[in-house]
Amino acid sequence: MSIEEGRGPGGRGAGLSRSDIVAAALRLMQDHGVEWFSMRKLATDLGVSPGALYWHFPNKENLFAGVMDSVGLEPSWDAASSGTPRERLAGHVRILHDYWRDHPVLVALGRKVRPTASARHSTEGIAIIREFGFDEPAARLHWRALVWLALGFFYVEQGVTESTHHEPIAPGRYQVSLGDQPEIIDTDALFEHLLGLTLDGLEQAAGGFC
Amino acid sequence: MSIEEGRGPGGRGAGLSRSDIVAAALRLMQDHGVEWFSMRKLATDLGVSPGALYWHFPNKENLFAGVMDSVGLEPSWDAASSGTPRERLAGHVRILHDYWRDHPVLVALGRKVRPTASARHSTEGIAIIREFGFDEPAARLHWRALVWLALGFFYVEQGVTESTHHEPIAPGRYQVSLGDQPEIIDTDALFEHLLGLTLDGLEQAAGGFC
DNA sequence: ACCTGAACACCGTTCAAGT
DNA sequence: ACCTGAACACCGTTCAAGT
């Protein structure tokens, strides 16, 4: 009657916790993709029966939400701390875009990613925009537009790089060929270009010095 | 030995064609959503066995591609035919955004939507941009940036309206409440704002009259 | 050529039963 | 309280067999 492998059938002893499950789920999704992931594979990975997961989480969607919370939404802000307001704002938006690009799991996760930056990131972004001379409501509107710009661009970027042939030529800097003629696109350069245009418009709206 | 309902088991006579299958698939997806759709439900709807579909299509993904082709990618251009170059360009981009918003099936369809407008739409858009004074390569780059802007914005818009409480207050003009404080956002106004900023930047880059 | 029907290998989720 | 094991109602896909 010795139980070798660990615990026998029934009873407790698996020692599962919400954070254990979430961590394993995130690892599996990062390694094999969100498409590949399933509750049963997660259970197998944890050495547990499928039903066990449903004591800790009501359903798959709730587990996904737990994974998203575990990753957190705190980009690193080191890159946007010096320079002109324009440069710092560009850095700030770029950080958002890079953050989402480096965590595709978050975006692929059932489209549950809310287009909001973290509170601190938003506060700083709005503060920078106010330096251009905008009042609070205008700055908030501009900030929201920039956040949507960055997230939207990443959605498209992800869709393109997933659905077509693409070759990464550097970390976070892939070229894709799409459309009729196999054209090469540097998505990072395209993002910089689009962001630049928008910030030009923002500066113009602020300054009025012409 | 009379076969009433149509054809008996086995043999031909179902009269399936690729276009029939595609049409039924599109209808089901529009009525019940892409999530709800399955090959077996499609077969049931067509009064046919699941395996029958696999004679016409190698797999589900290929069927999805067929659905996308059937919808076509030809927005109506009536709205962007008069006014200043700036107004016509804005109308052109707006048409793209509205088109994708009115065909969410295309975007939800496994993220297979290529971020390219139709050839004619692109040609006209690039021509308008050239009126600002850009040369061909610059105009193409600007056009691509605008296309990505419109498609990306729609992705975010769709994600928000699907994942949070939202109430449509007019066709194509819904308000959403998201984030910590239940704030109201007019997504159409936000898009106009973002597009306006970007076009301001584009005009500025073109003119140089300052 | 075109389709059926049954099978295969999967899903997410539930739930009595165990400890 | 925590987990098992079996079941339920699904999937996409394949394929021998029918006409």
Side-chain angles (χ1 to χ4, degrees), chain B residues 73-84:
Chain B
L73 212 56
E74 295 294 332
S76 59
W77 1 68
D78 317 321
S81 50
S82 65
T84 67

Side-chain angles (χ1 to χ4, degrees), chain A residues 10-11 38-41 51 54 59-60:
Chain A
S38 74
M39 296 296 271
R40 299 175 104 102
K41 282 169 181 161
Y54 287 85
N59 51 43
K60 193 183 180 186

Side-chain angles (χ1 to χ4, degrees), chain B:
Chain B
M1 57 181 293
S2 66
I3 299 175
E4 298 292 355
E5 297 286 347
R7 67 270 159 208
R12 77 248 283 191
L16 278 184
S17 72
R18 278 181 69 98
S19 57
D20 289 341
I21 297 174
V22 160
L26 176 61
R27 177 170 44 80
L28 288 181
M29 291 189 296
Q30 284 171 338
D31 288 353
H32 303 97
V34 175
E35 294 285 292
W36 176 89
F37 178 87
S38 75
M39 295 296 270
R40 299 176 105 102
K41 282 169 183 161
L42 174 58
T44 300
D45 182 84
L46 289 166
V48 114
S49 115
L53 303 173
Y54 287 84
W55 194 90
H56 296 274
F57 294 92
N59 51 42
K60 192 184 181 184
E61 193 172 332
N62 189 274
L63 171 61
F64 279 178
V67 170
M68 290 198 44
D69 290 345
S70 82
V71 176
L73 212 56
E74 295 294 332
S76 59
W77 1 68
D78 317 321
S81 50
S82 65
T84 67
R86 153 98 191 215
E87 287 169 349
R88 276 150 51 215
L89 182 56
H92 233 64
V93 177
R94 220 176 282 120
I95 282 174
L96 268 187
H97 171 259
D98 291 350
Y99 173 76
W100 283 318
R101 191 193 51 206
D102 294 340
H103 297 80
V105 168
L106 290 188
V107 182
L109 227 42
R111 220 175 289 276
K112 303 295 178 196
V113 180
R114 298 241 197 76
T116 58
S118 72
R120 181 179 155 194
H121 199 238
S122 290
T123 304
E124 293 196 15
I126 293 170
I128 296 176
I129 294 178
R130 295 207 58 177
E131 293 183 38
F132 285 85
F134 294 105
D135 59 4
E136 176 78 16
R140 296 186 69 87
L141 178 61
H142 285 136
W143 173 247
R144 195 192 314 276
L146 291 176
V147 170
W148 283 50
L149 171 71
L151 182 57
F153 189 93
F154 169 68
Y155 278 136
V156 180
E157 187 177 350
Q158 189 180 242
V160 169
T161 54
E162 277 181 0
S163 66
T164 63
H165 308 286
H166 68 287
E167 310 165 12
I169 59 175
R173 177 179 291 271
Y174 19 52
Q175 296 181 327
V176 306
S177 57
L178 65 110
D180 303 332
Q181 61 272 29
E183 199 168 352
I184 302 297
I185 298 179
D186 185 333
T187 56
D188 274 13
L190 185 60
F191 179 72
E192 287 301 320
H193 180 70
L194 179 57
L195 179 58
L197 281 182
T198 308
L199 293 183
D200 285 345
L202 198 145
E203 268 187 330
Q204 186 179 337
F209 50 81
C210 242

Side-chain angles (χ1 to χ4, degrees), chain A residues 194-210:
Chain A
L194 178 57
L195 179 57
L197 282 183
T198 308
L199 293 183
D200 286 344
L202 198 145
E203 268 187 330
Q204 187 179 339
F209 51 82
C210 244

